[in-house]
Amino acid sequence: MAVDALDTRILLLLLEQPRTSVREYARLLGVARGTLQARLDRLEREGVITGTAPSLSPAALGHPVLAFVHIEVTQGHLDEVGDALAAVPEIVEAFSITGGGDLLTRVVARDNAHLEDVVQKLISLPGVVRTRSEVALRERVPHRLLPLVESIGRSARK
């Protein structure tokens, strides 16, 4: 979906001031509240805006260990393993990938022993051939979309 300059300004405000009201966004942007709401509805309907939930910290929730676990799956069992991963609460994301392995998961744990328990649980899933884990030491660039939206906005103005 192509976003125009107003869409970009809306997205920037949502990222920079996520707890602001629609009325205040409309005032800041200098557009009618109805116009803003229609744009927000379209951005949601088209999948640009995917949620409004707060961003939570696994570390603050008692799970400071972050690991990326690559999972190799028996051919033909990717869907079953993917479905089984959804039942493991410590897996916060999972992706089908190319390269070494079939799935890449982002796993959080209370400590290294807990991480080992989670990995052992993954290894025991039917269809899992092997895993390879990489523990994150420090976050260097936090999850962000603001620079991307700013770049898209610059392109939309040209």
Side-chain angles (χ1 to χ4, degrees):
M1 176 197 145
V3 295
D4 63 17
L6 178 56
D7 292 333
T8 302
R9 290 174 52 217
I10 291 168
L11 294 171
L12 288 171
L13 269 178
L14 289 173
L15 291 169
E16 292 170 342
Q17 301 176 36
R19 300 187 84 146
T20 303
S21 69
V22 172
R23 173 181 280 176
E24 181 63 10
Y25 287 141
R27 187 190 70 73
L28 291 169
L29 293 167
V31 299
R33 186 190 177 288
T35 299
L36 177 63
Q37 189 61 60
R39 293 288 186 121
L40 289 170
D41 292 344
R42 181 179 56 80
L43 291 167
E44 286 181 17
R45 190 172 52 254
E46 304 223 352
V48 175
I49 298 172
T50 58
T52 58
S55 180
L56 305 177
S57 166
L61 291 169
H63 289 67
V65 176
L66 170 63
F68 298 93
V69 179
H70 298 258
I71 302 173
E72 187 177 323
V73 176
T74 304
Q75 203 163 12
H77 290 86
L78 191 60
D79 289 338
E80 294 91 23
V81 173
D83 291 344
L85 296 178
V88 181
E90 294 86 358
I91 294 179
V92 295
E93 290 182 298
F95 302 92
S96 298
I97 60 168
T98 63
D102 300 299
L103 294 164
L104 175 64
T105 62
R106 185 170 163 219
V107 177
V108 296
R110 293 184 301 273
D111 52 36
N112 287 345
H114 182 216
L115 176 60
E116 182 182 11
D117 293 342
V118 173
V119 170
Q120 290 302 317
K121 186 185 303 183
L122 298 177
I123 291 170
S124 72
L125 293 175
V128 171
V129 176
R130 72 178 51 87
T131 66
R132 187 182 90 242
S133 302
E134 299 165 345
V135 175
L137 300 176
R138 180 181 303 158
E139 183 178 67
R140 297 296 180 163
V141 178
H143 179 78
R144 70 214 175 115
L145 291 173
L146 186 59
L148 176 64
V149 173
E150 288 171 337
S151 174
I152 292 168
R154 285 190 298 274
S155 297
R157 286 186 285 253
K158 291 180 181 176

